[in-house]
């Protein structure tokens, strides 16, 4: 996950090392640094730079990490041989179902394993204490932004989701210290989202990024970065695994905020549910009235 996340920000020679690692982690773990440099048509210094880009002290640490990762891959190889591969023209519909469900399960598990709990805690505190929360995202990420907005609104937190870039900029221009702006971008390179976050930050708002790449441009305009761990394959760019993994972080952020005021959050959520139940006929309306009366609404 760390190699995939770092890949877009690496130099071309370092990317060749990364691609060799992803292609054969077990094989690289058994090679000397000289052998790896020769395999990747580069120098030992470049291999060391690659190690440090991953936050490792040197090549021995990389070999140990790769050996562990390779063992994990071996344990799951039988299952992933069919499921963890790109969708091809010869796949049956049953194959498609298996591959998509497996990829989404992996996206959820990998994102959960990679969550920076300290960063998540900072984001939770900022959102819970915010006067107002803006959420920016376009395309599939805009749908995730809308989900976060609805969740926060259910807790009684003033929030807005902006998928239109002009509307996002107008809203960001009105933010101030004590406000929070959340940018959702799988690649971390979406200009519209970056511009809105950059403006929000210049106004003093705390900025939070939800992205798949912790070295992408969105990191430079964000105070807090929450990273997903999705892998896109055929027909899936920006639409499936990335959205599933983003929703994992939305759930974690929302639940963390709700836990800070547990009883008040439950009351707010129940009031929201009661209002929605009133849209389901006479019995639903009666139940809603009972709940709202009990809450003093």
């Amino acid at each position: 996950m760390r190699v995939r996340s770092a890949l877009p920000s690496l130099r071309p020679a370092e990317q060749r090392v990364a691609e060799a690692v992803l292609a054969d982690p077990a094989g690289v773990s058994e090679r000397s640094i000289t052998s790896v440099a020769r395999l990747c048509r580069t120098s030992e210094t470049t291999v060391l730079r690659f190690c440090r880009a991953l936050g490792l002290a040197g090549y021995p640490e990389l070999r140990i990490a790769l050996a562990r990762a390779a063992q994990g891959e071996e344990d799951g190889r039988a299952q992933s041989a069919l499921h963890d591969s790109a969708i091809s023209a010869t796949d049956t519909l049953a194959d498609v179902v298996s591959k998509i469900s497996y990829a989404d399960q992996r996206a959820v598990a990998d994102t959960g394993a990679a969550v920076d709990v300290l960063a998540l805690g900072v984001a939770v505190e900022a959102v819970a204490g915010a006067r107002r929360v803006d959420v920016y995202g376009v395309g599939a990420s805009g749908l995730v932004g809308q989900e976060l907005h609805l969740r926060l609104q259910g807790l009684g937190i003033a929030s807005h989701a902006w998928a239109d870039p002009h509307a996002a900029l107008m809203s960001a221009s009105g933010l101030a210290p004590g406000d929070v702006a959340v940018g959702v971008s799988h690649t971390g390179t979406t200009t519209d989202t970056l511009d809105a976050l950059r403006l929000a930050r210049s106004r003093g708002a705390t900025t939070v990024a939800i992205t798949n790449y912790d070295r992408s441009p969105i990191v430079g305009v964000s105070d807090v970065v929450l990273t997903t761990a999705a892998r896109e394959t055929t027909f899936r760019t920006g639409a499936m695994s990335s959205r599933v993994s983003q929703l994992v972080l939305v759930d974690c952020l929302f639940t963390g905020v709700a836990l800070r005021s547990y009883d008040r959050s439950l009351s707010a959520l129940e009031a929201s549910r009661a209002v929605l139940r009133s849209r389901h006929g006479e019995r639903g309306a009666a139940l809603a009235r009972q709940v709202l009366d009990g809450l003093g609404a």
Side-chain angles (χ1 to χ4, degrees):
M1 290 185 291
R2 290 168 66 180
V3 174
R4 290 190 190 97
S5 178
L7 190 58
S9 66
L10 298 175
R11 298 183 179 93
E14 294 168 358
Q15 287 182 346
R16 292 199 297 273
V17 180
E19 289 161 0
V21 165
L22 292 173
D24 186 12
V28 172
S29 72
E30 296 174 355
R31 289 176 174 266
S32 68
I33 188 171
T34 302
S35 174
V36 171
R38 188 178 302 115
L39 172 70
C40 301
R41 307 184 311 282
T42 188
S43 65
E44 295 179 14
T45 301
T46 297
V47 177
L48 284 174
R49 280 203 306 266
F50 167 75
C51 296
R52 287 166 185 152
L54 298 182
L56 300 171
Y59 187 67
E61 288 77 11
L62 177 66
R63 292 183 66 180
I64 293 170
L66 288 179
R68 289 173 178 166
Q71 183 60 51
E73 290 289 337
E74 183 64 31
D75 293 342
R77 195 174 299 280
Q79 181 184 14
S80 66
L82 168 65
H83 301 92
D84 196 17
S85 57
I87 294 171
S88 67
T90 58
D91 282 340
T92 66
L93 191 56
D95 292 336
V96 170
V97 171
S98 295
K99 289 182 178 183
I100 289 176
S101 59
Y102 181 74
D104 287 350
Q105 290 172 35
R106 283 289 303 272
V108 171
D110 289 349
T111 296
V115 168
D116 183 337
V117 178
L118 291 177
L120 178 63
V122 173
V124 165
E125 292 297 318
V127 171
R131 179 185 68 94
R132 167 179 156 190
V133 178
D134 264 12
V135 188
Y136 313 126
V138 298
S141 293
L143 300 176
V144 174
Q146 182 70 18
E147 179 71 12
L148 177 57
H149 154 64
L150 292 173
R151 298 288 188 89
L152 295 177
Q153 195 171 54
L155 293 178
I157 294 174
S159 67
H160 307 273
W162 306 102
D164 180 271
H166 291 176
L169 289 171
M170 290 174 62
S171 183
S173 69
L175 296 183
D179 296 329
V180 172
V182 181
V184 185
S185 172
H186 175 70
T187 63
T189 60
T190 306
T191 300
D192 295 328
T193 303
L194 266 65
D195 287 347
L197 270 187
R198 186 179 294 108
L199 179 56
R201 195 182 201 188
S202 74
R203 298 297 184 184
T206 299
T207 52
V208 179
I210 296 178
T211 183
N212 203 65
Y213 301 102
D214 60 6
R215 290 175 175 81
S216 58
I218 199 172
V219 174
V221 296
S222 302
D223 300 307
V224 185
V225 179
L226 304 177
T227 308
T228 59
R231 289 181 286 174
E232 298 294 356
T233 56
T234 314
F235 303 128
R236 299 173 62 78
T237 302
M240 298 182 188
S241 291
S242 61
R243 191 160 72 235
V244 168
S245 57
Q246 287 168 348
L247 287 171
V248 170
L249 292 182
V250 165
D251 278 347
C252 291
L253 180 58
F254 160 78
T255 305
V257 172
L259 284 174
R260 289 189 77 260
S261 301
Y262 188 81
D263 292 335
R264 182 171 63 81
S265 296
L266 287 183
S267 297
L269 291 171
E270 188 54 43
S272 297
R273 294 190 190 106
V275 170
L276 294 177
R277 278 199 295 267
S278 70
R279 310 299 298 170
H280 295 276
E282 294 181 4
R283 185 170 180 274
L287 286 171
R289 283 194 295 272
Q290 291 176 14
V291 171
L292 292 172
D293 288 343
L295 293 172

